[in-house]
Amino acid sequence: MRTAQVGYRIGQAIRYHKQEERKKSGNKHTGTRTKVAAHVRRGHYHHFWQGSRKDGTRKLILKWVAPIFVNAGNADNMLPTIHRIKK
């Protein structure tokens, strides 16, 4: 059986961005829409239209939308890390 540790860098990045947003905004409410905090958007199934209405080939298909890190700000936080595993 294999065990893999995953997601720990994403969690660290989310905590960092939440902390930075708190520092910047404090408790000020200006009435304008603020930037959405960094978060992970869950993976889900989504329906998409494919084909053309004009020639009647349009059909509804179901696809998987993978989880994604939203508003990370700095892409450096999302670089993949490869861990060598000894057998």
Side-chain angles (χ1 to χ4, degrees):
M1 175 191 254
R2 290 185 182 186
T3 303
Q5 292 183 354
V6 296
Y8 57 93
R9 290 191 74 194
I10 291 175
Q12 179 183 9
I14 291 172
R15 284 188 295 276
Y16 170 78
H17 286 287
K18 282 185 179 181
Q19 184 180 25
E20 290 299 312
E21 286 299 315
R22 278 190 221 120
K23 286 179 186 176
K24 288 179 188 175
S25 65
N27 288 329
K28 302 173 199 165
H29 295 287
T30 61
T32 60
R33 183 176 169 99
T34 58
K35 181 180 159 186
V36 177
H39 63 282
V40 176
R41 185 173 292 141
R42 293 186 338 186
H44 59 281
Y45 285 99
H46 188 76
H47 286 94
F48 294 93
W49 287 105
Q50 185 179 41
S52 172
R53 279 188 189 178
K54 292 179 182 177
D55 59 10
T57 61
R58 186 173 176 187
K59 62 182 176 180
L60 190 63
I61 59 171
L62 182 66
K63 286 188 174 183
W64 174 254
V65 178
I68 188 166
F69 194 31
V70 179
N71 285 339
N74 186 356
D76 293 340
N77 292 336
M78 297 308 297
L79 293 175
T81 303
I82 299 172
H83 297 279
R84 302 286 179 212
I85 300 173
K86 295 180 182 178
K87 288 186 177 184

Coordinates of all heavy atoms in Angstrom, one line a residue:
M1 N 0.8 -1.2 0.0 CA 0.0 0.0 0.0 C 0.9 1.2 0.0 O 1.8 1.3 0.7 CB -0.9 0.0 1.2 CG -1.7 1.2 1.4 SD -2.5 1.4 2.9 CE -4.2 1.0 2.4
R2 N 0.5 2.2 -0.8 CA 1.3 3.5 -0.9 C 0.6 4.6 -0.1 O -0.7 4.6 -0.1 CB 1.4 3.9 -2.3 CG 2.3 3.1 -3.2 CD 2.5 3.7 -4.5 NE 3.3 2.9 -5.4 CZ 3.7 3.3 -6.6 NH1 3.3 4.4 -7.1 NH2 4.5 2.5 -7.3
T3 N 1.3 5.4 0.5 CA 0.8 6.6 1.2 C 1.4 7.8 0.6 O 2.6 7.9 0.4 CB 1.1 6.5 2.7 OG1 0.5 5.3 3.2 CG2 0.4 7.7 3.4
A4 N 0.6 8.8 0.3 CA 1.1 10.1 -0.3 C 0.6 11.2 0.5 O -0.6 11.3 0.9 CB 0.7 10.2 -1.7
Q5 N 1.5 12.2 0.8 CA 1.1 13.4 1.5 C 0.9 14.4 0.4 O 1.8 14.8 -0.4 CB 2.2 13.9 2.4 CG 2.4 13.0 3.6 CD 3.5 13.6 4.5 OE1 4.1 14.6 4.2 NE2 3.6 13.0 5.7
V6 N -0.4 14.9 0.3 CA -0.7 15.9 -0.7 C -1.4 17.1 -0.1 O -2.0 17.0 0.9 CB -1.6 15.3 -1.8 CG1 -0.9 14.2 -2.5 CG2 -2.9 14.7 -1.2
G7 N -1.3 18.2 -0.8 CA -2.1 19.4 -0.4 C -1.5 20.3 0.7 O -2.0 21.3 1.0
Y8 N -0.3 19.9 1.2 CA 0.2 20.7 2.3 C 0.7 22.0 1.8 O 0.7 23.0 2.6 CB 1.3 19.9 3.1 CG 2.4 19.4 2.3 CD1 3.6 20.2 2.2 CD2 2.4 18.2 1.7 CE1 4.7 19.7 1.5 CE2 3.5 17.7 1.0 CZ 4.6 18.5 0.9 OH 5.7 18.0 0.1
R9 N 1.2 22.1 0.6 CA 1.7 23.4 0.1 C 0.5 24.3 -0.2 O 0.6 25.5 0.0 CB 2.6 23.2 -1.1 CG 3.9 22.6 -0.7 CD 4.9 22.7 -1.9 NE 5.4 24.0 -2.0 CZ 6.0 24.5 -3.1 NH1 6.2 23.7 -4.1 NH2 6.4 25.7 -3.1
I10 N -0.6 23.8 -0.7 CA -1.7 24.6 -1.0 C -2.3 25.1 0.3 O -2.7 26.3 0.4 CB -2.8 23.8 -1.8 CG1 -2.3 23.4 -3.2 CG2 -4.1 24.5 -1.8 CD1 -3.1 22.5 -4.0
G11 N -2.4 24.3 1.3 CA -2.9 24.8 2.6 C -2.1 25.9 3.2 O -2.6 26.9 3.7
Q12 N -0.8 25.8 3.1 CA 0.1 26.8 3.5 C -0.1 28.1 2.7 O -0.1 29.2 3.3 CB 1.6 26.4 3.4 CG 2.6 27.4 3.8 CD 4.0 26.9 3.6 OE1 4.2 25.9 3.0 NE2 5.0 27.6 4.1
A13 N -0.3 28.0 1.4 CA -0.5 29.2 0.6 C -1.8 29.9 0.9 O -1.9 31.1 1.0 CB -0.4 28.8 -0.9
I14 N -2.8 29.1 1.2 CA -4.1 29.7 1.5 C -4.0 30.4 2.9 O -4.5 31.5 3.0 CB -5.2 28.6 1.6 CG1 -5.5 28.0 0.2 CG2 -6.5 29.1 2.3 CD1 -6.4 26.8 0.2
R15 N -3.4 29.8 3.8 CA -3.3 30.5 5.1 C -2.5 31.8 5.0 O -2.8 32.8 5.6 CB -2.6 29.6 6.1 CG -3.5 28.5 6.7 CD -2.9 27.7 7.8 NE -1.7 26.9 7.3 CZ -1.7 25.7 6.8 NH1 -2.9 25.2 6.6 NH2 -0.7 25.1 6.4
Y16 N -1.4 31.8 4.2 CA -0.6 33.0 4.0 C -1.5 34.1 3.3 O -1.4 35.2 3.8 CB 0.6 32.6 3.1 CG 1.3 33.9 2.6 CD1 2.2 34.5 3.5 CD2 1.1 34.4 1.3 CE1 2.9 35.6 3.1 CE2 1.8 35.5 0.9 CZ 2.7 36.1 1.8 OH 3.4 37.2 1.4
H17 N -2.2 33.8 2.3 CA -3.0 34.8 1.6 C -4.1 35.3 2.5 O -4.4 36.5 2.5 CB -3.6 34.2 0.3 CG -2.5 34.1 -0.7 ND1 -2.0 35.2 -1.4 CD2 -1.9 33.1 -1.2 CE1 -1.1 34.8 -2.2 NE2 -1.0 33.5 -2.2
K18 N -4.7 34.5 3.3 CA -5.8 34.9 4.2 C -5.2 35.9 5.2 O -5.8 36.9 5.6 CB -6.4 33.8 4.9 CG -7.4 33.0 4.1 CD -8.1 32.0 4.9 CE -9.2 31.3 4.1 NZ -9.9 30.2 4.8
Q19 N -4.0 35.6 5.7 CA -3.3 36.5 6.7 C -3.0 37.8 6.1 O -3.2 38.9 6.7 CB -2.1 35.8 7.2 CG -1.4 36.5 8.3 CD -0.1 35.8 8.8 OE1 0.4 35.0 8.1 NE2 0.3 36.1 10.0
E20 N -2.5 37.8 4.8 CA -2.2 39.0 4.1 C -3.4 39.9 3.9 O -3.3 41.1 4.0 CB -1.4 38.7 2.8 CG 0.0 38.2 3.0 CD 0.9 39.1 3.8 OE1 0.9 40.3 3.4 OE2 1.5 38.7 4.7
E21 N -4.5 39.3 3.5 CA -5.7 40.0 3.3 C -6.2 40.7 4.5 O -6.7 41.8 4.5 CB -6.8 39.1 2.7 CG -6.6 38.8 1.2 CD -6.5 40.0 0.3 OE1 -7.4 40.9 0.5 OE2 -5.6 40.0 -0.5
R22 N -6.1 40.0 5.7 CA -6.5 40.6 6.9 C -5.7 41.8 7.3 O -6.2 42.8 7.8 CB -6.4 39.5 8.1 CG -7.6 38.6 8.1 CD -7.6 37.8 9.4 NE -8.0 36.4 9.0 CZ -7.3 35.3 9.2 NH1 -6.1 35.4 9.7 NH2 -7.8 34.2 8.8
K23 N -4.4 41.7 7.0 CA -3.5 42.8 7.3 C -3.8 44.0 6.5 O -3.8 45.1 6.9 CB -2.0 42.4 7.0 CG -1.4 41.5 8.0 CD 0.0 41.2 7.6 CE 0.7 40.2 8.5 NZ 2.0 39.8 8.1
K24 N -4.1 43.8 5.2 CA -4.4 44.9 4.2 C -5.7 45.6 4.6 O -5.8 46.8 4.6 CB -4.5 44.4 2.8 CG -3.1 44.0 2.3 CD -3.3 43.5 0.8 CE -2.0 42.9 0.3 NZ -2.2 42.3 -1.0
S25 N -6.8 44.7 4.8 CA -8.1 45.3 4.9 C -8.5 45.7 6.3 O -9.3 46.7 6.5 CB -9.2 44.3 4.3 OG -9.2 43.2 5.1
G26 N -8.0 45.0 7.3 CA -8.5 45.2 8.6 C -9.9 45.0 8.7 O -10.5 44.0 8.2
N27 N -10.7 45.9 9.4 CA -12.1 45.8 9.5 C -12.8 46.9 8.7 O -13.9 47.3 9.0 CB -12.6 45.8 10.9 CG -12.2 44.5 11.6 OD1 -12.2 43.5 11.0 ND2 -11.9 44.6 12.9
K28 N -12.1 47.5 7.7 CA -12.7 48.6 6.9 C -13.6 48.0 5.9 O -13.3 47.1 5.1 CB -11.5 49.3 6.2 CG -10.5 49.9 7.1 CD -9.4 50.5 6.3 CE -8.1 50.6 7.2 NZ -6.9 50.8 6.4
H29 N -14.8 48.6 5.8 CA -15.8 48.3 4.8 C -16.0 49.6 4.0 O -16.6 50.5 4.5 CB -17.1 47.8 5.4 CG -16.9 46.5 6.1 ND1 -16.7 45.3 5.4 CD2 -16.9 46.2 7.4 CE1 -16.6 44.3 6.3 NE2 -16.7 44.9 7.5
T30 N -15.6 49.5 2.7 CA -15.8 50.7 1.9 C -17.0 50.8 1.0 O -17.3 51.7 0.4 CB -14.6 50.9 0.9 OG1 -14.5 49.7 0.1 CG2 -13.3 51.0 1.7
G31 N -17.8 49.7 1.0 CA -19.0 49.6 0.2 C -18.7 49.1 -1.2 O -19.6 48.9 -1.9
T32 N -17.5 49.0 -1.6 CA -17.2 48.4 -2.9 C -16.8 47.0 -2.8 O -16.4 46.5 -1.7 CB -16.0 49.2 -3.6 OG1 -14.9 49.0 -2.7 CG2 -16.3 50.7 -3.7
R33 N -16.9 46.3 -3.9 CA -16.6 44.8 -3.8 C -15.1 44.6 -3.6 O -14.3 45.2 -4.3 CB -17.1 44.2 -5.1 CG -16.8 42.7 -5.1 CD -17.4 42.0 -6.4 NE -16.9 40.7 -6.4 CZ -17.6 39.6 -6.1 NH1 -18.8 39.8 -5.6 NH2 -17.1 38.4 -6.2
T34 N -14.8 43.8 -2.7 CA -13.4 43.5 -2.4 C -13.0 42.3 -3.2 O -13.8 41.5 -3.6 CB -13.1 43.3 -0.9 OG1 -14.0 42.2 -0.5 CG2 -13.5 44.5 -0.1
K35 N -11.7 42.1 -3.2 CA -11.1 40.9 -3.9 C -11.5 39.7 -3.1 O -11.4 39.6 -1.9 CB -9.6 41.1 -4.0 CG -8.9 40.0 -4.6 CD -7.4 40.2 -4.6 CE -6.6 38.9 -4.8 NZ -5.2 39.1 -4.7
V36 N -11.8 38.6 -3.8 CA -12.2 37.3 -3.2 C -10.9 36.7 -2.6 O -9.9 36.7 -3.2 CB -12.8 36.4 -4.2 CG1 -13.1 35.0 -3.6 CG2 -14.1 37.0 -4.8
A37 N -11.0 36.2 -1.4 CA -9.9 35.6 -0.7 C -9.4 34.4 -1.5 O -10.2 33.7 -2.1 CB -10.3 35.2 0.7
A38 N -8.2 34.0 -1.3 CA -7.6 32.8 -1.9 C -8.3 31.6 -1.3 O -8.6 31.5 -0.1 CB -6.1 32.8 -1.7
H39 N -8.6 30.7 -2.2 CA -9.3 29.5 -1.8 C -9.2 28.4 -2.9 O -8.7 28.7 -4.0 CB -10.8 29.7 -1.5 CG -11.6 30.2 -2.7 ND1 -11.5 31.4 -3.2 CD2 -12.4 29.5 -3.5 CE1 -12.3 31.5 -4.2 NE2 -12.9 30.4 -4.5
V40 N -9.5 27.2 -2.5 CA -9.5 26.1 -3.5 C -11.0 25.9 -3.9 O -11.9 25.7 -3.1 CB -9.0 24.8 -2.9 CG1 -9.1 23.6 -3.8 CG2 -7.5 25.0 -2.4
R41 N -11.2 26.0 -5.2 CA -12.5 25.7 -5.8 C -12.6 24.2 -5.9 O -11.8 23.6 -6.6 CB -12.7 26.4 -7.1 CG -14.1 26.2 -7.7 CD -14.3 27.1 -8.9 NE -14.3 28.5 -8.5 CZ -13.7 29.4 -9.3 NH1 -13.1 29.1 -10.4 NH2 -13.7 30.7 -8.9
R42 N -13.6 23.6 -5.4 CA -13.8 22.1 -5.4 C -14.0 21.6 -6.8 O -14.6 22.3 -7.7 CB -15.0 21.7 -4.6 CG -14.9 21.9 -3.1 CD -16.0 21.4 -2.3 NE -17.3 21.2 -3.0 CZ -18.4 20.8 -2.4 NH1 -18.4 20.6 -1.2 NH2 -19.5 20.6 -3.1
G43 N -13.5 20.4 -7.1 CA -13.8 19.8 -8.3 C -15.2 19.3 -8.4 O -15.8 19.1 -7.4
H44 N -15.8 19.3 -9.6 CA -17.2 19.0 -9.8 C -17.4 18.6 -11.2 O -16.7 18.9 -12.1 CB -18.1 20.1 -9.4 CG -17.8 21.4 -10.2 ND1 -16.8 22.2 -9.9 CD2 -18.5 21.9 -11.2 CE1 -16.8 23.2 -10.7 NE2 -17.9 23.1 -11.6
Y45 N -18.6 17.9 -11.4 CA -19.0 17.7 -12.8 C -19.8 18.9 -13.3 O -20.5 19.5 -12.5 CB -19.9 16.4 -12.8 CG -19.1 15.2 -12.7 CD1 -19.0 14.5 -11.5 CD2 -18.4 14.7 -13.8 CE1 -18.2 13.3 -11.4 CE2 -17.7 13.5 -13.7 CZ -17.6 12.8 -12.5 OH -16.8 11.7 -12.4
H46 N -19.7 19.2 -14.6 CA -20.4 20.3 -15.1 C -20.8 20.0 -16.5 O -20.2 19.3 -17.3 CB -19.4 21.5 -15.2 CG -20.0 22.8 -15.6 ND1 -20.8 23.5 -14.7 CD2 -20.0 23.5 -16.7 CE1 -21.2 24.6 -15.3 NE2 -20.8 24.6 -16.5
H47 N -22.0 20.5 -16.9 CA -22.5 20.2 -18.3 C -22.1 21.3 -19.2 O -22.1 22.5 -18.8 CB -24.1 20.2 -18.2 CG -24.6 19.0 -17.7 ND1 -25.0 18.9 -16.3 CD2 -24.9 17.8 -18.2 CE1 -25.4 17.7 -16.1 NE2 -25.4 17.0 -17.2
F48 N -21.7 21.0 -20.4 CA -21.2 21.9 -21.4 C -21.9 21.6 -22.7 O -22.2 20.4 -23.0 CB -19.7 21.8 -21.7 CG -18.8 22.2 -20.5 CD1 -18.4 21.2 -19.6 CD2 -18.5 23.5 -20.4 CE1 -17.6 21.6 -18.6 CE2 -17.7 23.9 -19.3 CZ -17.2 22.9 -18.4
W49 N -22.3 22.6 -23.5 CA -22.8 22.4 -24.8 C -21.7 22.3 -25.8 O -20.7 23.0 -25.8 CB -23.7 23.6 -25.2 CG -25.0 23.7 -24.5 CD1 -25.3 24.5 -23.5 CD2 -26.1 22.8 -24.7 NE1 -26.6 24.2 -23.0 CE2 -27.1 23.2 -23.8 CE3 -26.4 21.8 -25.6 CZ2 -28.3 22.6 -23.7 CZ3 -27.6 21.2 -25.5 CH2 -28.6 21.6 -24.6
Q50 N -21.9 21.3 -26.7 CA -20.9 21.0 -27.7 C -21.6 20.9 -29.1 O -22.6 20.3 -29.2 CB -20.1 19.7 -27.4 CG -19.0 19.4 -28.3 CD -18.3 18.1 -27.9 OE1 -18.9 17.2 -27.5 NE2 -17.0 18.1 -28.0
G51 N -21.0 21.5 -30.1 CA -21.6 21.4 -31.4 C -22.3 22.7 -31.8 O -22.2 23.7 -31.1
S52 N -22.9 22.7 -32.9 CA -23.6 23.9 -33.5 C -25.1 23.7 -33.4 O -25.6 22.7 -33.7 CB -23.1 24.1 -34.9 OG -23.8 25.1 -35.5
R53 N -25.7 24.8 -33.1 CA -27.2 24.9 -33.2 C -27.7 24.9 -34.6 O -28.7 24.3 -34.9 CB -27.7 26.2 -32.5 CG -27.8 26.1 -31.0 CD -28.5 27.4 -30.6 NE -28.5 27.5 -29.1 CZ -29.0 28.5 -28.5 NH1 -29.5 29.5 -29.1 NH2 -28.9 28.5 -27.2
K54 N -26.9 25.5 -35.5 CA -27.3 25.7 -36.9 C -27.5 24.4 -37.6 O -28.4 24.2 -38.3 CB -26.3 26.6 -37.6 CG -26.3 28.0 -37.1 CD -25.3 28.8 -37.9 CE -25.2 30.2 -37.3 NZ -24.2 31.0 -38.0
D55 N -26.5 23.5 -37.4 CA -26.6 22.2 -38.2 C -27.2 21.1 -37.4 O -27.2 19.9 -37.8 CB -25.2 21.9 -38.8 CG -24.1 21.7 -37.8 OD1 -24.4 21.7 -36.6 OD2 -23.0 21.6 -38.2
G56 N -27.6 21.4 -36.2 CA -28.3 20.4 -35.3 C -27.4 19.3 -34.7 O -27.8 18.3 -34.2
T57 N -26.1 19.7 -34.6 CA -25.1 18.7 -33.9 C -24.9 19.1 -32.5 O -24.1 18.5 -31.8 CB -23.8 18.7 -34.7 OG1 -23.2 20.0 -34.6 CG2 -23.9 18.3 -36.1
R58 N -25.6 20.0 -32.0 CA -25.5 20.5 -30.6 C -25.9 19.4 -29.6 O -27.0 18.9 -29.8 CB -26.2 21.8 -30.4 CG -26.0 22.4 -29.0 CD -26.6 23.7 -28.9 NE -26.4 24.2 -27.6 CZ -27.0 25.3 -27.1 NH1 -27.7 26.0 -27.9 NH2 -26.8 25.7 -25.9
K59 N -25.1 19.1 -28.6 CA -25.5 18.1 -27.6 C -24.9 18.5 -26.3 O -23.9 19.3 -26.2 CB -25.1 16.7 -28.0 CG -23.6 16.5 -28.1 CD -23.2 15.1 -28.6 CE -21.7 15.0 -28.8 NZ -21.4 13.7 -29.2
L60 N -25.5 18.1 -25.2 CA -25.1 18.4 -23.9 C -24.2 17.3 -23.4 O -24.6 16.1 -23.4 CB -26.3 18.6 -23.0 CG -26.1 19.1 -21.6 CD1 -25.5 20.5 -21.6 CD2 -27.3 19.1 -20.8
I61 N -22.9 17.6 -23.0 CA -22.0 16.6 -22.5 C -21.6 17.0 -21.0 O -21.7 18.1 -20.6 CB -20.8 16.5 -23.4 CG1 -20.0 17.9 -23.4 CG2 -21.1 16.1 -24.8 CD1 -18.6 17.8 -24.1
L62 N -21.2 15.9 -20.3 CA -20.9 16.1 -18.9 C -19.4 15.9 -18.8 O -18.8 14.9 -19.3 CB -21.6 15.0 -18.1 CG -21.3 15.0 -16.6 CD1 -21.9 16.3 -16.0 CD2 -22.0 13.8 -16.0
K63 N -18.7 16.8 -18.2 CA -17.2 16.8 -18.0 C -16.9 17.0 -16.5 O -17.6 17.7 -15.8 CB -16.5 17.8 -18.9 CG -16.5 17.5 -20.3 CD -15.6 18.5 -21.0 CE -15.4 18.2 -22.5 NZ -14.5 19.1 -23.1
W64 N -15.7 16.5 -16.1 CA -15.2 16.8 -14.8 C -14.3 18.1 -14.9 O -13.5 18.2 -15.7 CB -14.3 15.6 -14.4 CG -13.6 15.9 -13.1 CD1 -12.2 16.1 -12.9 CD2 -14.1 15.9 -11.8 NE1 -12.0 16.3 -11.6 CE2 -13.1 16.2 -10.9 CE3 -15.4 15.7 -11.3 CZ2 -13.3 16.3 -9.5 CZ3 -15.6 15.8 -9.9 CH2 -14.6 16.1 -9.0
V65 N -14.6 19.0 -13.9 CA -13.8 20.2 -13.8 C -13.0 20.0 -12.6 O -13.5 19.8 -11.5 CB -14.7 21.4 -13.6 CG1 -13.9 22.7 -13.4 CG2 -15.7 21.6 -14.8
A66 N -11.6 20.0 -12.8 CA -10.7 19.7 -11.7 C -10.7 20.8 -10.6 O -11.0 21.9 -10.9 CB -9.3 19.5 -12.3
P67 N -10.3 20.5 -9.4 CA -10.1 21.5 -8.4 C -9.0 22.5 -8.8 O -8.1 22.1 -9.5 CB -9.6 20.7 -7.1 CG -9.9 19.3 -7.4 CD -10.0 19.1 -8.9
I68 N -9.2 23.8 -8.4 CA -8.3 24.8 -8.8 C -8.1 25.8 -7.7 O -9.0 26.0 -6.9 CB -8.7 25.5 -10.1 CG1 -7.7 26.4 -10.6 CG2 -10.0 26.2 -9.9 CD1 -7.9 26.9 -12.0
F69 N -6.9 26.3 -7.6 CA -6.6 27.3 -6.6 C -6.9 28.7 -7.1 O -6.4 29.1 -8.1 CB -5.1 27.2 -6.2 CG -4.7 27.9 -4.9 CD1 -5.6 28.1 -3.9 CD2 -3.4 28.5 -4.8 CE1 -5.2 28.8 -2.7 CE2 -3.0 29.1 -3.7 CZ -3.9 29.3 -2.6
V70 N -7.8 29.4 -6.5 CA -8.3 30.7 -7.0 C -7.7 31.8 -6.2 O -7.5 31.8 -5.0 CB -9.9 30.7 -6.8 CG1 -10.4 32.1 -7.3 CG2 -10.5 29.6 -7.5
N71 N -7.3 32.9 -7.0 CA -6.7 34.1 -6.4 C -5.4 33.8 -5.6 O -5.2 34.4 -4.5 CB -7.7 34.9 -5.5 CG -8.7 35.6 -6.4 OD1 -8.4 35.9 -7.6 ND2 -9.8 35.9 -5.8
A72 N -4.6 33.0 -6.1 CA -3.3 32.7 -5.5 C -2.4 33.9 -5.5 O -1.5 34.0 -4.6 CB -2.6 31.5 -6.1
G73 N -2.5 34.7 -6.5 CA -1.7 35.9 -6.6 C -0.4 35.6 -7.2 O 0.0 36.1 -8.2
N74 N 0.4 34.8 -6.5 CA 1.8 34.5 -7.0 C 1.8 33.0 -7.4 O 1.6 32.1 -6.6 CB 2.8 34.7 -5.8 CG 4.2 34.6 -6.2 OD1 4.5 34.2 -7.4 ND2 5.1 34.8 -5.3
A75 N 2.1 32.8 -8.7 CA 2.2 31.5 -9.2 C 3.3 30.6 -8.7 O 3.3 29.4 -8.8 CB 2.3 31.5 -10.8
D76 N 4.3 31.3 -8.0 CA 5.4 30.6 -7.5 C 5.0 29.6 -6.4 O 5.6 28.6 -6.1 CB 6.5 31.5 -6.9 CG 7.1 32.3 -8.0 OD1 7.1 31.9 -9.2 OD2 7.7 33.4 -7.7
N77 N 3.9 29.9 -5.7 CA 3.4 29.1 -4.6 C 2.9 27.8 -5.2 O 2.7 26.8 -4.4 CB 2.2 29.8 -3.9 CG 2.7 31.0 -3.1 OD1 3.9 31.0 -2.8 ND2 1.8 31.9 -2.8
M78 N 2.5 27.7 -6.4 CA 1.9 26.5 -7.0 C 2.9 25.6 -7.8 O 2.4 24.8 -8.5 CB 0.7 26.9 -7.9 CG -0.4 27.6 -7.1 SD -0.9 26.7 -5.6 CE -1.6 25.3 -6.4
L79 N 4.2 25.9 -7.7 CA 5.1 25.0 -8.4 C 5.0 23.6 -7.8 O 5.0 23.4 -6.6 CB 6.5 25.6 -8.3 CG 6.8 26.9 -9.0 CD1 8.2 27.4 -8.7 CD2 6.6 26.8 -10.5
P80 N 5.0 22.6 -8.7 CA 5.0 21.3 -8.2 C 6.2 20.9 -7.5 O 7.3 21.3 -7.8 CB 4.8 20.4 -9.4 CG 5.3 21.2 -10.5 CD 5.1 22.7 -10.1
T81 N 6.1 20.1 -6.4 CA 7.2 19.6 -5.7 C 7.3 18.1 -5.8 O 6.2 17.4 -5.6 CB 7.1 19.9 -4.2 OG1 7.0 21.3 -4.1 CG2 8.3 19.5 -3.4
I82 N 8.4 17.5 -6.2 CA 8.5 16.1 -6.4 C 9.3 15.5 -5.2 O 10.4 16.0 -4.9 CB 9.3 15.8 -7.7 CG1 8.4 16.3 -8.9 CG2 9.5 14.3 -7.8 CD1 9.1 16.2 -10.2
H83 N 8.7 14.6 -4.5 CA 9.4 13.9 -3.4 C 9.8 12.5 -3.8 O 9.0 11.7 -4.3 CB 8.4 13.8 -2.2 CG 8.1 15.2 -1.7 ND1 8.9 15.9 -0.8 CD2 6.9 15.9 -1.9 CE1 8.3 17.0 -0.5 NE2 7.1 17.1 -1.2
R84 N 11.1 12.2 -3.7 CA 11.5 10.9 -4.0 C 11.1 9.9 -2.9 O 11.3 10.2 -1.7 CB 13.0 10.8 -4.2 CG 13.6 11.8 -5.3 CD 13.3 11.2 -6.6 NE 13.7 12.2 -7.6 CZ 13.2 12.3 -8.8 NH1 12.1 11.7 -9.1 NH2 13.7 13.2 -9.7
I85 N 10.6 8.8 -3.3 CA 10.1 7.8 -2.3 C 11.0 6.6 -2.3 O 11.1 6.0 -3.4 CB 8.6 7.5 -2.5 CG1 7.8 8.8 -2.4 CG2 8.2 6.4 -1.5 CD1 6.4 8.6 -2.8
K86 N 11.5 6.2 -1.2 CA 12.3 5.0 -1.1 C 11.4 3.8 -1.0 O 10.4 3.8 -0.3 CB 13.3 5.0 0.0 CG 14.3 6.1 -0.1 CD 15.2 6.1 1.1 CE 16.2 7.2 1.1 NZ 17.1 7.2 2.2
K87 N 11.7 2.7 -1.7 CA 10.9 1.5 -1.6 C 11.5 0.5 -0.6 O 12.6 0.5 -0.3 CB 10.8 0.8 -3.0 CG 10.0 1.6 -3.9 CD 9.8 0.8 -5.2 CE 8.9 1.5 -6.2 NZ 8.6 0.7 -7.3

